């Protein structure tokens, strides 16, 4: 590259990363392999809710980049959520150690470095880890997300929705796996055969399949995740006494063995935030930033509806002030619909050892704006802690592509010293609230008590005011069947007399209960309808996760 071209490129980069508001300082640009500390590469804080991608081969520095960004977000008063699969981010709580190597690195990129620890909240799924336990009730999780955890097919998924409907109509609270198992066991027993018949679309054999899957979940230890007290996602939005944002670090030690639970839990977390947070539009800084490590696990084995739900979440949740950053190896790990929503790109080095690697490299280069760099060469030769960056500027346009040497974290890179996590957790303000699991009086206890008393739950039928039995077939039955398809199963209703049937015999609702929805259900359905009209077609799982799950007052 000619000297004049290099000078022009450097000037473009320097000018392209000057913004009016507060920024995250990422590093200094390299042009023709030469580092220029005066060419600072930044990311506008106000653009963090435009979402982003941190990608690169293993060992190229993705986790350190995430750490640098999380530290600065915290400093700006922005809460952060991290999913820490390998435990490499526990060092955020501990100040780093000065050394000649650190000084040389930080001075070369124009960084005024000093050691600092940050306010961190360590979380863990259920009892699986050292952090504050995070639990969700079965009702809150909902049948669609639970179906993904259990890998149910569409027919079984629809049947599980009927079980939830039955439990809701009969005052049988579903807080943990024991409650759900108790309801299904009851429905498949001699005492519950009338209740099973009232559902129509649920066969005893399908209920048995679901029951076996529940037992498998319990055997895998997932029962510790479902229950009370349920985690309040508002606890992710806290700041420390000194005004810094709290970094919530979710430990996922066994996620490699349970990727489906990991991805579905994150979906529940985002859906809950989407439902609870008010619209705020564009603001000077985000309300919360999510960093989702090993993002490919979010999509492995996922259904089309689940991928569509993630796409819709990424598109819609930014108006709630929430930014999402995906961390993975290559952009190819993410569906194109999701990748297209990520305005901020930090791409570390890639390997090109195989034909598949070479194809992934070319695909990655194609996602960047045109620039003077030979990006294929840069991405295969960049050193550890270097990345190719482009972000959205404060005018909503992409910045010039910049090969960047990144800043160093102020906290410990890697695991915190022994005992640090335990001490932080012991001092957590959340621990007294979530530490002990609560076994409330719910479906399992109610069914046990009713069985002992010789009573079983019943649902009033449309043709029988006293609820003595199912109504006779006829127009009322057909209307009710169509209504439950639309309101309970989430499928379009069939026109009267069309003869169209839903796919799968077990999905057809039969004669039975009075399905006039209570006011709360109708309001929830109206909310979902408005959202669907505003956002287009949203995956069924997201629609249920955002609007159809049952929320209850959390214990304090």
């Amino acid at each position: 590259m000619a000297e004049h071209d290099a000078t022009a490129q450097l000037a473009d980069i320097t000018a392209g990363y000057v913004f009016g508001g507060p920024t995250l300082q990422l590093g200094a640009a390299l042009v023709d392999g030469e580092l220029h500390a005066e060419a600072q590469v930044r990311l506008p804080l106000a653009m963090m809710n435009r979402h982003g991608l941190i990608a690169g081969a293993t060992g190229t520095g993705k986790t350190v980049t995430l750490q640098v960004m999380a530290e600065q977000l915290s400093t700006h008063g922005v809460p952060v959520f991290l999913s820490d699969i390998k435990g490499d981010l526990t060092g955020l709580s501990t100040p780093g150690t000065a050394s000649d190597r650190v000084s040389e690195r930080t001075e070369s990129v124009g960084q005024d470095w000093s050691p600092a620890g940050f306010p961190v909240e360590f979380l863990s799924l259920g009892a699986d880890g050292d952090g504050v336990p995070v639990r969700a009730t079965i009702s809150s999780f909902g049948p669609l997300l639970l179906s993904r955890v259990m890998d149910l097919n569409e027919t079984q998924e629809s049947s599980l929705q009927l079980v939830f409907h039955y439990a809701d109509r009969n005052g049988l609270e579903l807080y943990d796996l024991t409650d759900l198992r108790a309801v299904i066991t009851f429905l498949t027993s001699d005492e519950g055969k009338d209740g099973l018949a009232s559902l129509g679309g649920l066969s005893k054999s399908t209920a048995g399949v679901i029951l076996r899957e529940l037992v498998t979940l319990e055997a895998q230890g997932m029962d510790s995740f479902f229950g009370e007290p349920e985690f309040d996602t508002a606890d992710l939005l806290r700041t420390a006494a000194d005004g810094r944002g709290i970094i919530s670090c979710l430990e996922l030690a066994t996620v490699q063995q349970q990727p489906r639970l990991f991805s579905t839990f994150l979906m529940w977390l985002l859906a809950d935030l989407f439902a609870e947070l008010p619209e705020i539009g564009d603001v000077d800084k985000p309300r919360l930033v999510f960093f989702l490590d090993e993002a490919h696990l979010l999509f492995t084995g996922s259904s089309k509806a689940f991928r569509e739900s993630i796409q819709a979440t990424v598109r819609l949740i930014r108006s709630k002030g929430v930014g999402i950053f995906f961390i993975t190896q290559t952009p190819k790990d993410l569906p194109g619909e999701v990748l297209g929503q990520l305005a901020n790109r930090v791409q570390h080095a890639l390997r090109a050892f195989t034909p598949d690697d070479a194809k992934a490299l070319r695909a990655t280069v194609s996602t960047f704006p045109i620039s003077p760099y030979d990006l294929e060469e840069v991405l295969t030769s960049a050193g550890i802690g270097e990345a190719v960056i482009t972000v959205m500027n404060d005018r909503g346009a992409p910045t010039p592509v910049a090969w960047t040497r990144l800043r160093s974290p102020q906290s410990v890179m890697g695991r915190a010293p022994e005992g640090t996590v335990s001490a932080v957790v012991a001092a957590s303000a959340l621990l007294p609230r979530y530490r002990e699991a609560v076994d409330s009086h719910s479906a399992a206890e109610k069914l046990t008590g009713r069985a002992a008393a010789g009573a079983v739950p019943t649902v009033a039928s449309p043709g029988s005011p006293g609820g003595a039995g199912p109504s006779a077939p006829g127009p009322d039955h057909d209307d009710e069947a169509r209504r439950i398809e639309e309101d309970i199963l989430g499928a379009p209703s069939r026109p009267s007399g069309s003869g169209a049937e839903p796919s799968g015999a077990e999905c057809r609702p039969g004669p039975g209960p009075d399905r006039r929805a209570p006011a709360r259900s109708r309001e929830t359905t109206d909310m979902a309808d408005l959202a669907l009209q505003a956002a287009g077609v949203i995956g069924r799982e997201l629609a249920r996760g955002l609007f159809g799950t049952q929320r209850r007052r959390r214990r304090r």
Side-chain angles (χ1 to χ4, degrees):
M1 182 180 294
E3 179 67 25
H4 173 73
D5 292 336
T7 300
Q9 182 184 4
L10 181 61
D12 287 344
I13 292 173
T14 302
Y17 287 88
V18 174
F19 309 112
T23 62
L24 271 62
Q25 303 284 336
L26 299 181
L30 295 108
V31 175
D32 283 357
E34 183 179 348
L35 183 64
H36 297 269
E38 72 278 12
Q40 289 292 305
V41 177
R42 307 174 179 89
L43 198 167
L45 189 61
M47 294 294 110
M48 288 294 287
N49 68 338
R50 267 31 174 214
H51 313 312
L53 172 70
I54 301 174
T58 301
T60 55
K62 298 189 301 294
T63 301
V64 175
T65 298
L66 186 161
Q67 187 172 350
V68 168
M69 295 174 72
E71 289 179 352
Q72 294 186 57
L73 285 166
S74 176
T75 301
H76 283 292
V78 178
V80 176
F81 173 85
L82 306 171
S83 51
D84 186 11
I85 290 178
K86 301 174 184 176
D88 292 339
L89 292 167
T90 57
L92 276 161
S93 61
T94 306
T97 303
S99 68
D100 291 341
R101 183 179 178 183
V102 169
S103 297
E104 180 181 356
R105 168 85 182 203
T106 56
E107 289 173 6
S108 70
V109 298
Q111 180 180 1
D112 184 13
W113 187 91
S114 61
F118 294 83
V120 181
E121 192 75 67
F122 293 107
L123 309 174
S124 63
L125 287 185
D128 186 17
D130 299 324
V132 175
V134 174
R135 303 179 186 89
T137 64
I138 290 291
S139 290
S140 173
F141 213 69
L144 290 175
L145 295 181
L146 187 61
S147 294
R148 171 165 165 76
V149 174
M150 295 195 292
D151 198 21
L152 301 182
N153 61 34
E154 290 187 6
T155 297
Q156 295 159 355
E157 178 185 282
S158 297
S159 297
L160 184 61
Q161 292 182 66
L162 290 172
V163 173
F164 272 68
H165 173 63
Y166 176 85
D168 184 39
R169 293 301 303 273
N170 286 279
L172 300 173
E173 298 88 351
L174 301 177
Y175 296 157
D176 52 30
L177 290 179
T178 301
D179 288 327
L180 183 56
R181 182 154 53 88
V183 172
I184 298 176
T185 300
F186 169 77
L187 288 172
T188 56
S189 68
D190 290 338
E191 293 83 3
K193 60 184 178 182
D194 291 339
L196 185 69
S198 75
L199 292 178
L202 175 63
S203 74
K204 190 170 183 177
S205 61
T206 300
V209 171
I210 297 172
L211 188 60
R212 288 194 297 272
E213 291 298 328
L214 286 176
V215 172
T216 299
L217 288 184
E218 292 176 323
Q220 293 173 345
M222 293 191 192
D223 54 334
S224 65
F225 168 62
F226 294 105
E228 294 186 293
E230 182 175 85
F231 185 75
D232 189 343
T233 50
D235 287 327
L236 300 178
L237 306 176
R238 296 174 301 136
T239 55
D242 60 5
R244 291 184 297 172
I246 291 179
I247 302 171
S248 298
C249 188
L250 177 66
E251 179 184 359
L252 296 165
T254 61
V255 71
Q256 300 290 352
Q257 290 75 42
Q258 299 173 338
R260 198 176 297 272
L261 175 61
F262 158 71
S263 61
T264 311
F265 164 74
L266 294 179
M267 199 63 221
W268 170 78
L269 205 62
L270 290 171
D272 191 77
L273 282 167
F274 187 98
E276 297 294 324
L277 293 176
E279 296 277 342
I280 60 172
D282 292 330
V283 290
D284 292 338
K285 65 180 182 181
R287 178 181 276 153
L288 174 72
V289 175
F290 264 69
F291 289 95
L292 305 183
D293 203 359
E294 301 292 343
H296 66 280
L297 294 177
L298 195 64
F299 304 98
T300 301
S302 63
S303 66
K304 179 181 179 181
F306 193 78
R307 293 191 298 273
E308 288 175 347
S309 70
I310 297 173
Q311 177 190 355
T313 299
V314 173
R315 183 174 66 252
L316 299 174
I317 205 169
R318 80 172 185 86
S319 65
K320 308 275 187 170
V322 177
I324 305 173
F325 275 69
F326 295 86
I327 297 92
T328 189
Q329 293 200 8
T330 74
K332 284 186 64 179
D333 292 334
L334 307 181
E337 297 84 356
V338 173
L339 190 62
Q341 301 291 326
L342 310 182
N344 304 303
R345 306 288 182 89
V346 180
Q347 178 66 59
H348 289 264
L350 292 172
R351 311 298 180 221
F353 298 143
T354 68
D356 285 343
D357 290 342
K359 184 177 180 181
L361 175 62
R362 289 192 295 271
T364 299
V365 170
S366 70
T367 66
F368 280 88
I370 297 174
S371 80
Y373 290 110
D374 181 343
L375 289 181
E376 287 195 26
E377 179 181 349
V378 170
L379 288 176
T380 52
S381 61
I384 296 173
E386 296 178 357
V388 173
I389 294 176
T390 182
V391 302
M392 182 176 285
N393 66 25
D394 45 12
R395 299 184 305 279
T399 58
V401 176
W403 177 12
T404 307
R405 182 164 297 168
L406 295 156
R407 293 190 166 214
S408 299
Q410 295 176 269
S411 56
V412 168
M413 287 188 286
R415 293 180 178 272
E418 189 71 26
T420 300
V421 173
S422 299
V424 171
V425 172
S428 169
L430 299 183
L431 187 62
R433 190 188 311 167
Y434 297 117
R435 174 170 44 200
E436 298 297 334
V438 176
D439 188 9
S440 300
H441 188 76
S442 51
E445 291 78 14
K446 287 184 177 182
L447 288 173
T448 300
R450 290 176 179 179
V456 296
T458 59
V459 182
S461 300
S464 177
S471 61
D476 289 343
H477 155 63
D478 187 62
D479 290 344
E480 288 300 316
R482 286 188 290 108
R483 204 199 66 73
I484 195 172
E485 283 183 81
E486 185 172 325
D487 288 350
I488 305 302
L489 297 183
S493 60
R494 292 175 287 123
S496 296
S498 68
E501 295 291 340
S503 59
E506 293 176 0
C507 292
R508 292 194 300 270
D514 179 1
R515 310 199 189 274
R516 288 172 296 178
R520 175 177 54 81
S521 298
R522 297 306 322 168
E523 290 172 0
T524 302
T525 302
D526 291 340
M527 289 174 61
D529 290 342
L530 289 173
L532 290 171
Q533 292 171 15
V537 178
I538 297 180
R540 289 180 301 135
E541 294 182 51
L542 179 64
R544 176 72 188 187
L546 293 182
F547 304 105
T549 55
Q550 299 178 24
R551 307 302 299 161
R552 63 186 298 270
R553 183 176 59 83
R554 294 181 171 98
R555 294 176 178 270
R556 289 291 181 180

